[in-house]
Amino acid sequence: MKYIEYMIGNYPQILSLVVEHIRLTAFSVGLAILIGVPLGIIISYAKKMSRPVLGVANIIQAVPSMALLGFMIPFLGIGMVPAVAAVVMYSLLPIIKNTYTGVENINPETLEAAKGIGLTPAQVLAKVQIPLALPVIMTGVRVASVTAVGLMTMAAFIGAGGLGFLVFSGIRSVNNYQIIAGAVPACLLALFVDFLFGAVEKLVTPVSLQKGSNMRKKRQRNIQKAILGVTAAGIAAAMIFTAFSNSSRGDQTITIGGKDFTEQGIVGNMLADMIEENTEIRVNRQLDLGGTQICFEAIKTGDIDMYVEYSGTAYSDTLSHPPISDMEEVYETVKKELKEQFDIEVLKQMQFNNTFVMAVTQETADMYGLETISDLRSAAAQMKTGMTFEFTNRDDGLAGLQETYGFQFGDGVTLDAAPRYTALVNKEVDIIDAYATDGLIKKFSLKVLEDDKQYFPPYYAMPIIRADALEKYPEIAPLMEQLGEYLTDEVMVELNYQVDELQRTPKEVAREFLQSKGLI
């Protein structure tokens, strides 16, 4: 019942994401067909090329999708281009292989007969080989298309949109209704695509090879043609509508990015609303881009113009300085070096410090008598950790923490952001890394251990913006300073809690807060 209520309450967003998903998938599969079918035909003639071409396609298929996507981001940026490129590459193998197999397995006597009646090689290909191979080719296209629907959910990870946005957002905020709202339409879309290409497969199969009477076959073909016509018209209309809506943006446009967790969604929407409500600038929101590396790569390449970074992250992770606890030195160093090295301006930092913290359940804290991180020294070896990928790999993360405090944890697993909270509450792990302003800390009533040796550097939020964008829109800086004064640790905990526990959207929470403070 609650799932139905969620779907009804959010149907405009879900419908919009379905259209985006269809557009991305259709474009990707279309490109894969344009590349894969000619390649399959070529290697059926040039036999020596078949093994290396199929070998390369097999290797690409074996590469994990997220690894391939991550590899392409530095070259192709974020958004639609790398997402489509990745899906195209994964779709090539079944199309190339089935095209090659279909052309290769045509009866040699049929080809001899075609040549015997005077057909040229090009005519043999166009009038005999391709028509006879088409059912096999369409089987490959069908497999590639259904797979593409599922793969395209990863497009949301780099801001390309689609139903993956709901899945990633739901995982991040432990919102099962949101996960289902993204997963169910994706499954239904995959089933529809399978049905659609199944109809095309039958349509291109010669009537003589199909079962049933000729009249029945003709009726089925007419129905299939009607379905395909309506579907093609619908997809074309959706793509045209999206193209026009995208091109309707004015010249005064700025793109704001954000990392893939609740706080970034809230603050990113605040930045966008402040700018749109107080200036003539329109904002393109790309607020679900993944981690630090993706966002920073995007601002360097110009795929986004601005996002909120954290001072300690920029200092240690981006600029590779050893972590320190001096807030002013961290900020001034980041401001100076980002400008010198990347021509990125750092605006005034906000009031909240979203530093790393170590969190346990109250039951675990009581069991081991934990108040500070130093108290872990006697218990760490018996505890199983559930740390995020970023915390595990950072210089100011797990390794440095253990070295500074002089203990070593026992077994551990590496998890994504929100699942680590679920694992902790379910007693699958004993301790996790968290952010000081996480709403999930309040949601699950966790115990935050005091960093008594001040190991973690300051992580004050600070908007960073490309210098050319700030030069073009100088009115942005005072707006960001005005906003930053209102965002304290306590405020951010409460706002994050409203999303993570009360299941409100970041956009709704952000706008309500700005209105309550008279900022918009």
Side-chain angles (χ1 to χ4, degrees), residues 196-261:
L196 192 66
F197 280 96
V200 176
E201 202 176 317
K202 287 182 180 178
L203 205 60
V204 299
T205 301
V207 174
S208 59
L209 298 179
Q210 298 182 29
K211 296 179 181 179
S213 65
N214 283 342
M215 286 297 295
R216 182 183 170 193
K217 293 172 191 173
K218 288 179 181 178
R219 281 198 301 270
Q220 287 179 336
R221 279 178 176 259
N222 289 335
I223 292 171
Q224 289 164 355
K225 286 178 180 178
I227 292 172
L228 292 174
V230 171
T231 303
I235 292 173
M239 294 177 76
I240 291 169
F241 173 78
T242 308
F244 273 107
S245 64
N246 287 341
S247 63
S248 64
R249 297 192 183 106
D251 290 333
Q252 285 194 304
T253 303
I254 189 170
T255 300
I256 294 179
K259 304 181 190 182
D260 59 345
F261 56 92

Side-chain angles (χ1 to χ4, degrees), residues 468-486:
D468 55 354
L470 185 60
E471 184 179 350
K472 186 176 181 181
Y473 306 119
E475 63 268 38
I476 287 177
L479 288 174
M480 297 303 99
E481 288 187 21
Q482 184 183 11
L483 173 63
E485 294 299 318
Y486 289 88

Side-chain angles (χ1 to χ4, degrees), residues 265-310:
I266 295 170
V267 178
N269 275 296
M270 285 184 180
L271 266 59
D273 284 346
M274 284 286 288
I275 292 170
E276 286 191 322
E277 294 292 334
N278 294 288
T279 73
E280 297 299 316
I281 306 166
R282 295 193 52 138
V283 178
N284 175 26
R285 306 180 195 213
Q286 299 282 355
L287 301 179
D288 202 47
L289 294 180
T292 300
Q293 289 78 11
I294 292 176
C295 285
F296 194 71
E297 192 66 37
I299 199 171
K300 282 199 304 180
T301 58
D303 287 316
I304 63 175
D305 299 299
M306 179 181 184
Y307 77 98
V308 173
E309 188 52 276
Y310 300 93

